[in-house]
């Protein structure tokens, strides 16, 4: 076993203290570091710069290991590669990556018949077989829509926010971010000439869609707190100043978004949060159409809606967690229903809904999609996400007769995997599917709707002699304090022995009903090849075991998330797979809050921790509705402004307020200066508090990307360097720097 590299630790930066009292519900908290919030203050910049210099000095001995892990990631990655072309109308769309280039190049080639994709097109499989595009060879007739490398040139950051193309393939709209603050500039390119239209729309958010005739472009705008609240309409060829507001949401606790229906006839405007939602739809084939309400928020039904045409009638497919006029949340794992458009004018309690799929306590319906011929249902069963298909007409007939539709589910032959729908063209005879597992690289299939045949279109190549048989993924269960069984995914090299000597990393998230699904990750192999046992804790607050799993880890049940993670760590320590003194933990964003809370609960259980863009000062943030996205968080954590019980409960676990004299492990907090979701000030304050309180003498560092956002630095090579930094930090702290023989 190798030992951690020796370092001469310089003096850590000490921020000045400026007491800032914060009083709520007769409780006063004095925050000495709140002044660090002013990112325009030169003293703040100087402090972050000093922190970066300190971090660089403390971790200088890890640089060879960082370089080694980066090269391992690079060596295993097929740098010159491309996505499987996806058909839309008369074109095949795909993206390329080239060796040495940071960003994808987005391309298309014309389909041989130039017509497939229209509702009356032929349905032969040959028309839907992707062209043989070779990664490192030029493609006859290839058109470059957008070269991310050219767009990034001269900028410290680049991210693509969204893209849309007109039905006739002549115009391409896209939005780019050059700061990392998730605010984008929207431009429109004429693909016939290669020139851009004169209009450029600044400060747009995610979400943009063309009307079918290409005359209008719908896009989202966020308010000053980065909450998407306006749907605007731009008429091509007119000044941007004349753009109109199709919809505006004034409730600061609601998030607004747009999408197209599967048949692209309807624009869907959705408003909601994690507990209920509202949907409106706009008929894009009627220039004079107005938004129609599908289901209002006053019903307190969490849902999604998909309008479609069937036998001359417009119907709406609803995925929803409650029944009209019924008990709120009476179907927490969701059910599927059909309602005629004509019913929408009635009070919801009087509407006639036809049940397609009943609620199940054991299976969560994650969503539903439609093709011209089939119903496609995404579901989650025993933590695993997969997909089922049924002929649409047969499903409707069965439902109207009071029978359950008959579904077919593809078999993938693995225990722990993730399968889901990708881009499915409405009129296609195939559905595009994605598949991956912890040690199976991503695969793309076309599922033949008529026969159920799976056509493998691509498995992402992994270089460097990778063999999936060299690794093992197993399911285990930890026992939480209240007796709840918490699922764990335990990953290791097959050669690792259960002898109690191995290093381990426990990873978790546990918020917003987000599931940590099985997926292949090349960087993770570098830890496994150094003997790590990598454990993913599927803790409450996520969605792995259905809606109740989420509800048992939010608001006044949030502490279950943290105690579940500690239970997972205890399982690792007692399993025989790991040395109890060589366990690290890692999480990001809300998972960073998890790490902060867990370190306060049980710092002695960990030798090292990495908290990525950590939400460690959550109470301060949520108490200020003027801060970015704060009001939207009330449905996740509760509203501590109005509810004294929520305030007291949050204050009892939020990491920054609960730092205490304790033997904290080696800690790295990684953040981004331009992050609009979790502000850099949160980890900056937390690190100061940890350093002042820790009794272990172990280093606690803050690493701030000065030109990045919530996802870190842009560009794939920079992302690999970031992950190499995190993993080297952990491996060095645990004395696991050498590759296994």
């Amino acid at each position: 076993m190798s030992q951690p590299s020796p370092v001469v630790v310089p003096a850590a930066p000490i921020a000045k203290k400026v007491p800032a009292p914060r009083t709520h519900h007769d409780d006063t908290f004095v925050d000495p570091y709140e002044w660090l919030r002013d990112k325009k203050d030169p003293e703040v910049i100087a402090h972050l710069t000093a922190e970066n210099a300190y971090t660089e000095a403390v971790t200088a001995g890890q640089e060879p290991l960082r370089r080694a892990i980066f090269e391992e990631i690079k060596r295993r990655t097929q740098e010159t590669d491309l996505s499987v072309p996806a058909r839309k109308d008369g074109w095949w769309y795909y993206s390329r990556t080239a060796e040495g280039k940071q960003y994808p190049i987005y391309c298309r080639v014309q389909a041989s018949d130039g017509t497939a994709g229209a509702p009356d097109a032929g349905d032969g499989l040959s028309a839907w077989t992707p062209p043989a595009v070779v990664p490192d060879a030029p493609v006859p007739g290839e058109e470059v829509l957008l070269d991310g490398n050219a767009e990034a040139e001269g900028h410290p950051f680049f991210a693509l926010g969204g893209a849309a193309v007109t039905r006739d393939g002549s115009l391409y709209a896209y939005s780019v971010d050059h700061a990392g603050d998730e605010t984008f500039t929207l431009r429109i390119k004429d693909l016939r000439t290669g020139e851009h239209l004169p209009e450029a729309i600044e400060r747009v958010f995610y979400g943009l869609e063309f009307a079918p005739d290409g005359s209008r472009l719908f896009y989202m705008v966020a308010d000053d707190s980065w909450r998407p609240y306006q749907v605007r309409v731009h008429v091509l060829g007119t000044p941007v100043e004349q753009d109109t507001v199709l919809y505006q949401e004034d409730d600061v606790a609601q998030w607004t978004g747009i999408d197209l229906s599967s048949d692209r006839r309807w624009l869907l405007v959705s408003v909601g949060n994690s507990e209920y939602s509202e949907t409106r739809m706009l008929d894009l084939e009627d220039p004079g159409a107005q938004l129609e309400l599908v289901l209002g928020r006053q019903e307190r039904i969490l849902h999604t809606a998909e309008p479609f045409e069937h036998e001359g009638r417009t119907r709406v497919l609803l995925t929803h967690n409650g029944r009209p006029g019924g008990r709120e949340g009476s179907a927490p794992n969701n059910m599927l229903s059909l309602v005629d458009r004509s019913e929408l004018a009635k009070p919801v309690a009087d509407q006639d809904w036809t049940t397609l799929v009943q609620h199940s306590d054991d299976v969560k319906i994650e969503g539903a999609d439609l093709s011209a011929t089939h119903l496609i249902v995404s579901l989650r069963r025993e933590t695993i996400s997969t997909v089922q298909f049924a002929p649409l007409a047969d499903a409707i007939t069965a439902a109207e007769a009071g029978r359950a539709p008959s579904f077919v589910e593809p078999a993938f032959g693995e225990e722990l995997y993730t399968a889901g729908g990708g881009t499915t063209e409405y009129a296609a005879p195939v559905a595009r599917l994605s598949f991956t597992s912890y040690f199976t690289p991503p695969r793309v299939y076309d599922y033949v709707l008529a026969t159920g045949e799976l056509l493998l279109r691509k498995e992402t190549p992994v270089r460097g002699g990778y063999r999936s048989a060299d690794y093992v993924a197993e399911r285990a269960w930890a026992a939480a304090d209240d007796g709840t069984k918490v699922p764990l995914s335990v990953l290791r090299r097959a050669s690792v022995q259960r002898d109690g000597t191995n290093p381990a990393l426990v990873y978790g998230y546990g918020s917003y009903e987000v599931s940590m699904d099985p997926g292949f990750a090349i960087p993770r192999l570098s830890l496994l090849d150094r003997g790590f046992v990598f454990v993913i804790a599927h803790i409450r607050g996520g969605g792995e075991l259905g809606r109740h799993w989420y509800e048992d880890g939010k608001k006044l049940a949030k502490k279950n998330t943290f105690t579940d993670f500690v239970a997972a760590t205890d399982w690792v320590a007692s399993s025989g797979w790991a040395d109890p003194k060589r366990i690290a933990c890692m999480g990001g964003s809300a998972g960073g809050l998890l790490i902060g809370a867990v370190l306060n609960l049980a710092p002695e259980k960990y030798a090292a921790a990495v908290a990525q863009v950590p939400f460690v000062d959550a109470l301060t943030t949520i108490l200020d509705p003027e801060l970015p996205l704060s009001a939207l968080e009330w449905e996740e954590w509760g509203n501590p402004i109005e509810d004294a019980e929520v305030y007291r409960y949050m204050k009892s676990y939020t990491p920054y307020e609960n730092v205490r004299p304790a033997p904290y492990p080696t800690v790295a907090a990684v953040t981004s200066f331009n992050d609009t979701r979790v502000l850099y000030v949160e980890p900056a304050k937390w690190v100061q508090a940890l350093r002042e309180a820790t009794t272990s003498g172990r280093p606690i560092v803050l690493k701030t990307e000065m030109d990045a956002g919530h996802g870190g630095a842009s560009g794939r090579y920079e992302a690999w360097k970031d992950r190499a930094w995190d993993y080297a930090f952990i491996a060095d702290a645990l004395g696991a720097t050498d590759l296994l023989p």
Side-chain angles (χ1 to χ4, degrees):
M1 179 179 76
S2 59
Q3 298 298 317
S5 56
V7 293
V8 177
V9 180
I14 300 175
K16 68 181 181 182
K17 293 185 177 181
V18 181
R22 184 195 73 202
T23 301
H24 289 270
H25 305 293
D26 299 321
D27 175 77
T28 298
F29 173 72
V30 179
D31 190 340
Y33 302 118
E34 178 63 12
W35 69 273
L36 289 168
R37 187 175 300 280
D38 185 2
K39 67 187 298 184
K40 295 181 180 178
D41 183 347
E43 195 170 354
V44 172
I45 303 296
H47 176 74
L48 296 177
T49 302
E51 287 280 16
N52 279 344
Y54 173 71
T55 298
E56 186 173 348
V58 168
T59 65
Q62 299 166 20
E63 176 59 26
L65 181 57
R66 291 197 289 262
R67 287 199 304 267
I69 293 176
F70 173 82
E71 289 299 329
E72 289 161 16
I73 297 170
K74 191 170 183 285
R75 184 170 61 250
R76 285 185 167 117
T77 301
Q78 181 76 35
E79 294 185 68
T80 298
D81 203 2
L82 53 90
S83 65
V84 179
R87 186 147 194 178
K88 179 168 289 200
D89 301 310
W91 298 85
W92 290 99
Y93 293 86
Y94 56 97
S95 62
R96 288 183 171 278
T97 55
E99 185 172 356
K101 299 290 186 180
Q102 290 268 26
Y103 302 99
I105 303 167
Y106 300 92
C107 307
R108 71 177 184 180
V109 293
Q110 194 161 27
S112 57
D113 57 21
T115 60
D120 57 351
D123 61 356
L125 282 178
S126 61
W128 296 92
T129 300
V133 183
V134 181
D136 57 355
V139 179
E142 179 178 272
E143 296 183 20
V144 174
L145 306 176
L146 179 72
D147 185 342
N149 304 286
E151 288 285 334
E153 192 170 346
H155 300 282
F157 184 92
F158 166 76
L160 182 66
V165 67
T166 53
R167 294 289 292 269
D168 65 3
S170 64
L171 297 176
Y172 178 74
Y174 65 97
S175 59
V176 298
D177 171 16
H178 284 136
D181 62 1
E182 298 183 90
T183 300
F184 302 87
T185 298
L186 192 160
R187 303 192 68 191
I188 305 168
K189 183 178 181 181
D190 189 330
L191 298 177
R192 295 162 296 193
T193 65
E195 301 295 324
H196 284 86
L197 301 188
E199 52 258 52
I201 308 175
E202 303 290 343
R203 296 190 61 79
V204 307
F205 201 67
Y206 300 102
L208 57 98
E209 302 288 355
F210 274 112
D213 63 2
S215 64
R216 293 172 293 167
L217 182 64
F218 302 89
Y219 63 94
M220 294 299 309
V221 173
D223 62 15
D224 291 339
S225 68
W226 274 271
R227 176 184 68 94
Y229 81 117
Q230 278 188 349
V231 183
R232 293 187 185 176
V233 187
H234 175 69
V235 177
L236 273 67
T238 66
V240 173
E241 295 75 20
Q242 295 180 9
D243 289 2
T244 58
V245 176
L246 176 68
Y247 179 81
Q248 177 169 314
E249 178 54 54
D250 295 323
D251 186 340
V252 296
Q254 306 298 316
W255 185 283
T256 306
I258 58 174
D259 200 1
L260 289 182
S261 60
S262 297
D263 60 7
R264 290 186 281 171
R265 173 177 170 174
W266 301 88
L267 179 77
L268 301 170
V269 178
S270 58
V271 178
N273 54 42
S274 64
E275 298 192 346
Y276 58 89
S277 53
E278 179 170 285
T279 303
R280 289 174 172 83
M281 63 185 193
L282 180 71
D283 188 348
L284 296 177
E285 294 185 356
D286 179 359
Q290 301 294 313
L291 281 173
E292 301 177 42
L293 182 65
V294 177
L295 191 58
R297 71 192 74 183
Q298 71 277 3
E299 306 301 332
R300 290 301 193 265
I301 296 176
L302 188 62
H303 68 277
T304 59
E306 179 69 31
F308 65 102
E309 310 304 309
H310 181 70
E311 295 184 345
R313 300 156 62 186
T314 300
R315 310 188 79 169
V316 180
L317 172 66
L318 292 171
T319 306
H320 60 104
N321 74 339
R323 298 171 176 85
R327 183 170 55 86
E328 181 180 332
S330 56
N333 277 344
N334 291 334
M335 56 189 298
L336 296 182
S337 295
L338 285 175
V339 58
D340 274 22
R341 179 187 181 188
S342 60
E343 294 286 312
L344 302 180
K346 303 176 184 177
V348 174
D350 296 335
Q351 293 176 11
D352 182 17
W353 290 18
T354 300
T355 299
L356 266 175
V357 179
Q358 294 279 3
H359 173 263
S360 167
D361 290 332
D362 301 319
V363 178
K364 169 76 182 297
I365 298 175
E366 302 267 72
D369 200 0
L370 294 167
S371 76
T373 60
H374 278 71
L375 171 64
I376 307 167
V377 179
S378 300
L379 55 88
R380 183 178 299 279
R381 183 195 309 109
E382 297 178 344
T383 79
I384 299 303
S385 178
T386 189
V387 63
Q388 293 182 340
F389 300 87
L392 180 59
D394 292 352
I396 293 174
T397 299
E400 291 177 337
R403 295 182 283 105
S406 178
F407 285 91
V408 174
E409 182 176 324
F412 295 101
E414 293 194 38
E415 178 188 4
L416 303 179
Y417 68 89
T418 302
T423 302
T424 299
E425 184 71 350
Y426 187 69
V430 296
R432 180 64 52 87
L433 297 182
S434 60
F435 171 87
T436 186
S437 71
Y438 287 118
F439 298 119
T440 300
R443 294 174 179 170
V444 175
Y445 290 98
D446 276 340
Y447 176 84
V448 182
L449 295 168
T451 65
E453 183 182 5
L454 279 173
L455 304 175
L456 179 63
R457 298 307 192 189
K458 179 181 181 179
E459 179 172 306
T460 300
V462 182
R463 301 168 59 198
Y466 170 76
R467 294 190 327 130
S468 62
D470 292 338
Y471 304 88
V472 176
E474 297 173 323
R475 171 69 78 229
W477 299 84
D481 291 345
D482 61 2
T484 299
K485 297 298 184 182
V486 179
L488 312 176
S489 295
V490 183
L491 317 180
R492 58 181 173 82
R493 278 195 69 102
S495 60
V496 166
Q497 299 299 305
R498 197 169 188 170
D499 58 9
T501 66
N502 305 303
L505 174 60
V506 187
Y507 181 85
Y509 187 75
S511 291
Y512 303 106
E513 204 175 359
V514 173
S515 299
M516 297 291 100
D517 290 329
F520 186 77
I522 283 177
R524 190 168 55 217
L525 299 176
S526 291
L527 282 186
L528 299 177
D529 287 352
R530 287 170 172 80
F532 270 80
V533 177
F534 196 114
V535 178
I536 300 167
H538 304 285
I539 51 186
R540 281 176 283 187
E544 286 90 340
L545 290 174
R547 180 73 180 188
H548 80 91
W549 200 246
Y550 168 52
E551 292 175 342
D552 287 349
K554 66 181 293 194
K555 290 191 174 178
L556 296 177
K558 189 62 201 172
K559 289 183 184 179
N560 287 334
T561 301
F562 315 135
T563 54
D564 282 2
F565 192 88
V566 173
T569 304
D570 289 341
W571 181 92
V572 174
S574 63
S575 68
W577 285 116
D579 181 345
K581 296 181 179 179
R582 301 177 75 203
I583 298 176
C585 58
M586 184 168 73
S589 195
L593 184 154
L594 164 71
I595 298 305
V598 163
L599 293 185
N600 288 335
L601 284 174
E604 72 284 353
K605 295 182 186 292
Y606 304 96
V610 172
Q612 303 156 314
V613 291
F615 192 29
V616 285
D617 193 20
L619 185 54
T620 300
T621 295
I622 297 172
L623 281 168
D624 186 350
E626 299 302 317
L627 290 178
L629 305 179
S630 293
L632 292 168
E633 300 289 351
W634 295 338
E635 299 301 330
E636 179 72 19
W637 314 94
N639 185 344
I641 298 174
E642 298 181 356
D643 191 323
E645 184 181 11
V646 169
Y647 175 86
R648 288 190 295 270
Y649 187 77
M650 288 193 69
K651 194 180 178 189
S652 73
Y653 71 73
T654 45
Y656 179 53
E657 285 91 341
N658 288 283
V659 170
R660 59 185 174 87
Y664 286 95
T666 302
V667 177
V670 181
T671 188
S672 296
F673 190 58
N674 292 325
D675 192 343
T676 57
R677 295 176 183 258
V678 178
L679 302 185
Y680 72 90
V681 67
E682 298 200 23
K685 292 161 63 173
W686 180 56
V687 162
Q688 289 295 306
L690 283 174
R691 286 204 194 115
E692 188 174 4
T694 187
T695 61
S696 70
R698 295 181 180 179
I700 296 170
V701 301
L702 173 68
K703 176 174 174 276
T704 304
E705 295 284 353
M706 300 305 290
D707 296 305
H710 193 61
S714 66
R716 58 177 175 163
Y717 297 111
E718 297 307 312
W720 297 348
K721 290 176 183 176
D722 286 347
R723 187 49 51 89
W725 194 98
D726 296 343
Y727 283 177
F729 185 88
I730 290 169
D732 181 73
L734 270 58
T737 61
D738 297 332
L739 292 168
L740 295 177

